[in-house]
Every structure is written in C-alpha cells, then in structure tokens.
C-alpha cells in the first residue's frame, strides 16, 4: 500500500514575520489561515489596519510590504495611489486580410516628429487565420510628463514578415 504524504506528520520550520509563538504548534491549515489573515488584515502594534481589498489604488494593485501599503500601477497610471493618468494615445487596430497566409510582426511606434525619438511602442504578432476579426486595443504613452506641447507626434507602423 503506498504511503500518503500529509503535512500533519511533518513539522514546518521556516522563519516568517507572520508566525508567532502561539502558531508554532498549530496545524498547517490554521498556520496558513494565520498567514493569510496577517496579509489581508495587517496590524501595527494593537491597531488593525484597513484590509488590502479596501485600499484605494485607483486601478492599481495594493501590496503590503514592510508595514506599509504600496500600489503597483499599470503603465498608464502613476502616483503613490495610481491617482494620476499619463497622457497617451489610445489605439484600436483591426487588420482584415484573410488571404494572408504568412504570419507578420507589426510594430506600432509613437514618435516625436522633430527628433524621431520613440516615445513608446506596441508589438503584435499577426496571423490571419487567428487574428482576422480581432480588434487590438492598446495605449502608446508619451515619455515625458506632461507631454511637450511644442512637439508634434506621429504614429508609425512597421510590418515584418516572420
């Protein structure tokens, strides 16, 4: 008869800020519950803090690290709570070429017209049998905050056969 593996037969030994003296002899399930409880309901001293799910990160992801809450912001947002939006160009691109049998690589650039500096780019691998009716939605971000009002910008699309 094969031997089953169970955490109840083993002791867990590792250091973590979430494990206290009361939880050392606990079952693995209650230890996991304690860790998750501390992650989602962190405490400093005797004061419980707001659960991470209730923190305002305005489109970002709240992360509890070293007794502080930080927000991981997507590229189009910035600020300590992702409260500011970067200036950007929103692009929707659909290619209707069902007769193309060759896969293509498209690179879409947001360029500074004066110096031809690439502010941002987006890459698409296009295969007509898979992507013929697909709408590609993406953002091209300006590299400066705020964008230069004296500069003109353009979008350039390069297509490469793969």
């Amino acid at each position: 008869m094969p031997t089953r593996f169970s955490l109840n037969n083993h002791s867990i030994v590792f250091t973590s800020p979430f494990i206290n003296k009361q939880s050392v002899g606990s079952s693995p399930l209650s230890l996991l519950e304690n860790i998750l409880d501390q992650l989602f309901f962190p405490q400093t001293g005797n004061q419980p803090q707001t659960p991470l799910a209730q923190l305002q990160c305005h489109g970002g992801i709240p992360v509890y690290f070293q007794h502080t809450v930080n927000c991981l912001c997507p590229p189009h947002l910035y600020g300590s709570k992702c409260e500011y939006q970067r200036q950007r160009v929103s692009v929707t691109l659909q290619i209707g070429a069902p007769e193309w049998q060759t896969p293509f690589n498209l690179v879409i650039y947001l360029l500074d017209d004066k110096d031809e500096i690439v502010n941002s780019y987006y890459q698409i691998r296009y295969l007509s049998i898979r992507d013929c009716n697909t709408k590609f939605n993406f953002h091209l971000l300006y590299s400066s905050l705020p964008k230069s009002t004296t500069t003109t910008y353009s979008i350039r699309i390069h297509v490469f056969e793969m």
Side-chain angles (χ1 to χ4, degrees), residues 86-89 108-122 139-148 151-156:
R86 290 184 60 184
Q87 290 177 305
R88 62 195 181 271
V89 177
I108 301 95
Y109 301 94
L110 176 61
L111 292 173
D112 169 342
D113 285 341
K114 179 180 162 199
D115 300 320
E116 297 244 339
I117 295 173
V118 175
N119 280 242
S120 63
Y121 69 92
Y122 189 80
H139 300 292
L140 297 172
L141 304 174
Y142 293 98
S143 59
S144 59
L145 293 171
K147 76 171 187 165
S148 174
T151 304
T152 56
Y153 298 89
S154 63
I155 294 176
R156 184 179 296 170

Side-chain angles (χ1 to χ4, degrees), residues 90-103:
S90 296
V91 179
T92 300
L93 180 68
Q94 182 176 13
I95 302 167
E99 67 279 357
W100 289 359
Q101 299 299 315
T102 307

Side-chain angles (χ1 to χ4, degrees), residues 4 35 54 80-81 101 114 131:
R4 291 187 178 177
I35 290 172
Q54 293 178 7
S80 63
K81 301 290 181 202
Q101 299 299 315
K114 179 180 162 199
D131 301 321

Side-chain angles (χ1 to χ4, degrees), residues 13-19:
V13 181
F14 63 93
T15 59
S16 169
F18 304 115
I19 299 175

Side-chain angles (χ1 to χ4, degrees), residues 22-47:
Q22 292 85 5
S23 64
V24 170
S26 302
S27 72
L29 184 59
S30 64
L31 181 60
L32 180 60
E33 287 173 348
N34 182 33
I35 290 172
L36 292 174
D37 196 40
Q38 298 247 353
L39 281 172
F40 289 100
F41 298 95
Q43 293 185 1
T44 53
N46 293 333
Q47 291 287 78

